Amino acid sequence: MHPDDPSAQKLTDARPSTPSDDAASTERTIGRHRAPEPSRRALLGSTPVRVALATGVTCCLSLVAVATARGNDDTPRTVEPLAEAVADRAAIADERASRSLDRDAAPARILPSPTAKPTPTPTAVRKAPKKPVKPRRPRPVAGLDQAQMDNAKIIVDVGLEMKMPRRALVVALSTAMQESNLYNLASDVLPESAEYPNQGSGSDHDSVGLFQQRPSSGWGTVAQLMRPSYAARAFYTALNEIPGWQDMSVTAAAQAVQISAYPDAYAQHEDRATTVAAALTA
């Protein structure tokens, strides 16, 4: 049979349809001039689609971050009232426990280690006030007792304070040894003199003190002359008023000051006075 035979064409059209025919018929129903529908894998593989998907994912992540940040910002607003409520409850409980507003914080407890011994708390030690140190008393020399040596030290100290030379110290000590035997004497003629510290009494007119100076002769008051330091200063002052006393003998210098009825009596004490002066100025 010839392929162009109309009857052959009819037989060919009468054959059962195949899947390819169905696809072709589907294509016809869609339209002959429309392109076939691309597959999903082809769509996802295209560059524009990937860009669009990446942009969408980025936007979603940004929205999630903004929502999270807002949630974090809102968190203190939710927690803050709760903290204030807890603080209010603590204040109420504290007020019930004590009405005092001035309370010290409780000290933290420190538990000692099993092996270490607790350190004792040091206690404040109050130092006792220092007692005034008494001046050291000079050791007696030249046969003097302690009272005589103490009086001799006063005579020497006053002379040194007045810048008197060593010879003036010897003259003063020799005079006091002759006049009072280096004791601070009151006078039986002047009852007032017994009211002051003394180491005995004499009866030579109104003479008092270490140098037996007389208030009636202008040496000073009874109270002044009964002080050994004042009596020694008065003696040195009178000695300085005698011209050339440094060149005189001890007896002559002493007599020029004292105007005694026994002018030669002072010489016997010069050696002892020299020993005492040396001991007190060493």
Side-chain angles (χ1 to χ4, degrees):
M1 183 180 295
H2 196 273
D4 295 329
D5 191 359
S7 58
Q9 293 178 357
K10 292 179 181 181
L11 291 174
T12 305
D13 295 336
R15 285 183 299 178
S17 63
T18 61
S20 59
D21 295 335
D22 293 339
S25 62
T26 302
E27 182 180 351
R28 289 192 195 97
T29 56
I30 295 175
R32 294 182 62 90
H33 300 288
R34 294 184 62 182
E37 182 179 359
S39 64
R40 292 183 178 179
R41 181 174 299 177
L43 289 175
L44 293 176
S46 64
T47 301
V49 172
R50 289 183 178 181
V51 172
L53 288 176
T55 304
V57 171
T58 303
C59 293
C60 291
L61 292 176
S62 300
L63 290 176
V64 172
V66 170
T68 304
R70 289 183 178 179
N72 292 338
D73 293 339
D74 295 339
T75 301
R77 299 176 185 177
T78 306
V79 176
E80 185 175 359
L82 180 59
E84 293 179 355
V86 173
D88 292 340
R89 287 179 176 272
I92 294 173
D94 187 59
E95 185 176 0
R96 290 176 181 175
S98 173
R99 291 290 179 182
S100 174
L101 297 179
D102 300 325
R103 291 186 299 159
D104 296 330
R109 294 183 61 190
I110 301 176
L111 298 178
S113 59
T115 57
K117 295 182 179 180
T119 304
T121 303
T123 56
V125 179
R126 181 177 297 178
K127 295 183 179 180
K130 294 183 178 180
K131 295 182 180 180
V133 179
K134 294 182 179 180
R136 185 178 179 181
R137 303 179 72 179
R139 184 175 62 87
V141 295
L144 302 181
D145 61 22
Q146 189 63 59
Q148 291 172 307
M149 197 66 183
D150 292 341
N151 290 331
K153 185 177 187 305
I154 294 174
I155 294 173
V156 170
D157 288 346
V158 172
L160 295 176
E161 181 183 345
M162 295 178 67
K163 310 297 183 184
M164 300 299 290
R166 173 73 68 87
R167 186 167 181 80
L169 306 182
V170 175
V171 172
L173 290 171
S174 299
T175 303
M177 288 177 179
Q178 174 61 31
E179 296 291 349
S180 65
N181 199 19
L182 280 175
Y183 290 116
N184 191 30
L185 300 178
S187 174
D188 296 337
V189 178
L190 295 173
E192 178 190 352
S193 62
E195 298 175 2
Y196 304 102
N198 61 85
Q199 297 163 331
S201 63
S203 58
D204 184 10
H205 304 289
D206 58 347
S207 301
V208 294
L210 291 176
F211 296 90
Q212 289 294 283
Q213 296 153 329
R214 300 177 65 179
S216 60
S217 298
W219 286 95
T221 65
V222 176
Q224 291 173 335
L225 296 175
M226 288 299 294
R227 294 197 341 249
S229 60
Y230 178 90
R233 188 175 298 275
F235 179 85
Y236 287 123
T237 301
L239 181 63
N240 271 333
E241 293 176 356
I242 298 173
W245 69 267
Q246 297 89 342
D247 300 326
M248 296 180 181
S249 65
V250 172
T251 298
Q255 177 61 17
V257 175
Q258 295 296 104
I259 316 297
S260 172
Y262 308 96
D264 298 328
Y266 301 106
Q268 60 181 325
H269 304 288
E270 183 175 353
D271 292 340
R272 295 174 65 207
T274 301
T275 301
V276 174
L280 292 173
T281 56

